[in-house]
């Protein structure tokens, strides 16, 4: 029976039931309903369905859906200090990164004068550290393991290069005198190495190794020591301070925000 | 405060005013979400998301029926939930105990003014209707829920789901035909008055 009703008629009956037909269409549908029992049956069936649906029990909300400020805020309001510290941390990290790159390294010849002075100071400090090690080198017992000959001069060459770099670039008398003093000390040490085969004891690394692994037959490998210049150390400290500061202010804002809830 | 004042205050960021609107419309939104999704927990999530979204988009509300505007948001949230569900295993629609037994009369239906028989009858009707609604395609289901259950006009429903008026008419007619067949299959579950009406009309 219902199969005789076209989809268009069903659509119009449905709209007629809801009062969604315009006046003329509604009048036409009313006339057809009076004449066509199939349409009337379809309309009645739809009305029953509509009544059932409208009597569907309503489910109450299982809880209140009221919002808190925390739910609607994407993030707590942060003090202006936090982004500033974040940027400062990033900037300091970039500076530090470039400071360790070879072309921009603070150890290169194209460094700024202030850095050169710092390097000279560090070279002096290094030599001062090496100097006290000369005496134990002479007094060291012969049975202790020594650094191979090939390695010791190599390390001395590094000291030379490091010490010579600053005076060449700067050309000042103070720098030259420091270099000469460094060179004379290094030469003296090299001679002692050739004479006694115990020159390894004259370097801090070797002395450390010899104390750490006494009487060892194996050749100890030198431990690469982190050597940051003062600027790099300052940058590292700044990175740490900025990052900790940012974390501290963010954390404080979060706690304050949470306590308001 | 009337609704317009609450909306105006909420637009300025007054969360208390918005929460008053939430309390007014939460049942309606929850019912809509539940009928479309068919799962209480997912409907709960959808309603919460819808209210958050409504508050954040409140400045885009340009007047008109606030109810329709909220229903549009919750419908979109339900659609999003469906898309998410496609990537997850489905959840059973019926309410079960820990032992796997279906609860005869869930707590939300426990009305002290109704007798146990009446409660059971109401629950059976609700379940029968819900099963038939769930059997509809999503597009049909949404139109039925918005127009039949929430009482939106065709125009409002068309605006809510961004479809032409003719599409709403067509989908609703087809949905009603399908629902009619489905309800006839479970007419023994329906209360006697609905069975009689259905039998006399068919």
């Amino acid at each position: 029976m219902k199969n005789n009703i076209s989809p268009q008629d069903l659509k119009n009956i449905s709209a007629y039931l809801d009062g969604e037909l315009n006046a003329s269409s509604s009048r036409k549908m009313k006339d057809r309903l009076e004449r066509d029992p199939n349409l009337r049956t379809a309309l009645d069936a739809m009305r029953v369905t509509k009544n059932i649906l409208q009597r569907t029990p309503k489910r109450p909300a299982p809880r209140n859906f009221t919002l808190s400020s925390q739910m609607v805020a994407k993030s707590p309001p942060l003090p202006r200090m936090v982004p500033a510290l974040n940027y400062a941390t990033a900037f300091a990290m970039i500076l530090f990164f470039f400071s360790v790159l070879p072309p921009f390294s603070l150890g290169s010849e194209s460094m700024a004068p202030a850095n050169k002075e710092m390097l000279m100071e560090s070279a002096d400090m290094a030599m001062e550290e090496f100097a006290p090690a000369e005496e134990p080198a002479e007094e060291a017992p012969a049975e202790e393991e020594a650094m191979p000959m090939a390695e010791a001069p190599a390390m001395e060459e590094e000291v030379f290069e490091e010490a010579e770099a600053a005076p060449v670039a700067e050309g000042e008398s103070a720098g030259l005198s420091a270099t000469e003093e460094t060179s004379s000390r290094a030469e003296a040490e090299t001679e002692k190495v050739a004479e006694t085969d115990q020159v390894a004891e004259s370097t801090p690394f070797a002395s450390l190794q010899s104390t750490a692994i006494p009487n060892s037959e194996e050749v100890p490998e030198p431990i690469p020591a982190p050597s940051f210049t003062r600027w790099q150390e300052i940058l590292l400290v700044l990175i740490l301070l900025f990052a900790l500061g940012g974390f501290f202010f963010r954390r404080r804002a979060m706690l304050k925000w949470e306590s308001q809830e | 405060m009337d609704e317009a004042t609450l909306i105006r205050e909420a637009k300025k960021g007054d969360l208390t005013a918005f929460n008053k609107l939430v309390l007014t419309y939460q049942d309606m939104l929850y019912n809509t979400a539940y009928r479309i999704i068919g799962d209480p927990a997912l409907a709960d999530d959808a309603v919460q998301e819808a209210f958050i979204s409504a508050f954040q988009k409140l400045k885009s509300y340009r007047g008109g029926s606030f109810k329709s505007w909220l229903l549009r948001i919750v419908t979109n949230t339900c659609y999003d939930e469906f898309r998410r569900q496609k990537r997850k295993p489905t959840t059973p629609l019926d309410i079960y105990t820990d032992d796997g037994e279906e609860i005869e009369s869930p707590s939300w239906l426990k009305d002290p003014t109704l007798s146990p028989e009446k409660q059971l009858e109401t629950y059976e009707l609700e379940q029968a209707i819900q099963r038939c609604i769930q059997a509809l395609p999503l597009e049909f289901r949404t139109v039925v829920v918005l127009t039949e259950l929430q009482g939106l006009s065709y125009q409002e429903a068309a605006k809510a789901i961004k479809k032409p008026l003719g599409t709403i008419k067509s989908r609703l007619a087809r949905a009603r035909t399908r629902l009619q067949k489905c309800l006839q299959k479970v007419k023994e579950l329906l209360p006697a008055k609905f069975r009689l009406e259905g039998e006399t009309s068919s």
Side-chain angles (χ1 to χ4, degrees), chain B:
Chain B
M1 278 196 284
D2 63 339
E3 186 175 284
T5 312
L6 287 174
I7 293 169
R8 197 165 51 248
E9 291 301 312
K11 271 188 170 184
K12 292 177 191 168
D14 186 349
L15 197 57
T16 310
F18 185 78
N19 278 335
K20 287 179 183 171
L21 294 166
V22 169
L23 292 173
T24 305
Y25 288 106
Q26 63 182 5
D27 284 346
M28 181 196 72
L29 257 63
Y30 179 75
N31 268 282
T32 306
Y34 173 70
R35 298 296 168 203
I36 293 175
I37 296 177
D39 180 74
L42 294 179
D44 188 301
D45 290 345
V47 172
Q48 190 68 78
E49 276 185 41
F51 277 125
I52 292 170
S53 177
F55 184 76
Q56 288 168 345
K57 294 175 183 171
L58 200 56
K59 285 180 181 169
S60 70
Y61 171 67
R62 305 274 179 232
S65 169
F66 189 64
K67 176 186 168 184
S68 303
W69 186 74
L70 283 177
L71 284 172
R72 180 165 56 198
I73 291 174
V74 80
T75 305
N76 288 332
T77 314
C78 289
Y79 283 177
D80 291 342
E81 193 64 46
F82 266 106
R83 287 188 204 107
R84 271 198 292 271
Q85 282 301 304
K86 282 183 181 176
R87 298 188 292 271
K88 294 179 185 176
T90 54
T91 313
L93 298 177
D94 296 323
I95 306 165
Y96 293 97
T97 63
D98 293 338
D99 301 330
E101 295 291 325
E102 189 175 351
I103 297 172
E104 286 297 315
S105 182
S107 58
W108 65 269
L109 269 175
K110 281 181 181 164
D111 186 349
T113 60
L114 296 177
S115 64
E117 291 79 17
K118 183 70 180 169
Q119 284 184 33
L120 186 61
E121 185 182 301
T122 309
Y123 174 66
E124 283 180 349
L125 171 65
E126 196 266 347
Q127 286 298 292
I129 294 169
Q130 182 61 24
R131 284 196 188 95
C132 288
I133 291 174
Q134 285 297 312
L136 294 173
L138 178 62
E139 299 81 17
F140 291 11
R141 199 186 314 160
T142 307
V143 174
V144 165
V145 171
L146 291 179
T147 56
E148 297 281 33
L149 302 183
Q150 299 304 338
L152 290 193
S153 66
Y154 287 12
Q155 191 73 48
E156 287 172 329
K159 202 175 171 185
I161 62 169
K162 296 177 183 172
K163 294 287 177 192
L165 200 60
T167 306
I168 300 297
K169 280 184 187 176
S170 171
R171 284 183 183 176
L172 184 58
R174 291 166 71 185
R176 277 174 170 163
T177 310
R178 290 192 188 199
L179 281 171
Q180 189 182 316
K181 287 176 186 168
C182 176
L183 289 171
Q184 281 299 314
K185 286 180 192 170
V186 293
K187 62 183 177 186
E188 68 279 358
L189 293 174
L190 300 174
K193 56 185 173 185
F194 291 122
R195 284 203 294 268
L196 287 172
E197 283 178 32
E199 281 166 3
T200 51
S201 61
S202 60

Side-chain angles (χ1 to χ4, degrees), chain A residues 139-188:
Chain A
E139 295 170 8
E143 58 266 18
E144 285 189 339
E145 284 298 321
M147 181 180 282
M149 285 290 288
E151 289 185 20
M155 293 184 68
E156 295 300 327
E157 282 173 13
E158 287 177 11
V159 175
F160 281 134
E161 286 172 8
E162 189 179 4
E164 282 171 7
V168 166
E170 192 171 3
E172 296 293 335
S173 60
L176 284 168
S177 62
T179 310
E180 287 168 0
E181 188 181 341
T182 308
S183 303
S184 61
R185 286 183 188 177
E187 284 171 5

Side-chain angles (χ1 to χ4, degrees), chain A residues 112-134:
Chain A
N115 293 339
K116 291 172 196 166
E117 287 177 13
M118 285 180 57
L119 183 62
M120 285 177 61
E121 285 176 14
S122 64
D124 289 344
M125 288 170 65
M127 292 312 296
E128 285 171 8
E129 287 174 4
F130 287 1
E134 290 174 9

Side-chain angles (χ1 to χ4, degrees), chain A residues 173-236:
Chain A
S173 60
L176 284 168
S177 62
T179 310
E180 287 168 0
E181 188 181 341
T182 308
S183 303
S184 61
R185 286 183 188 177
E187 284 171 5
E189 285 173 11
T190 310
E191 288 171 6
K192 287 170 189 170
V193 166
E195 288 171 359
T196 63
D197 283 347
Q198 292 177 356
V199 74
E201 297 296 327
S202 67
T203 63
F205 296 137
S207 65
L208 281 171
Q209 287 175 351
S210 64
T211 53
I213 315 169
N215 301 325
S216 174
E217 294 295 327
E218 296 175 359
V219 177
E221 291 187 5
I223 301 166
S227 57
F228 291 131
T229 64
R230 192 170 295 172
W231 279 111
Q232 287 170 332
E233 287 172 0
I234 289 170
L235 282 173
L236 281 174

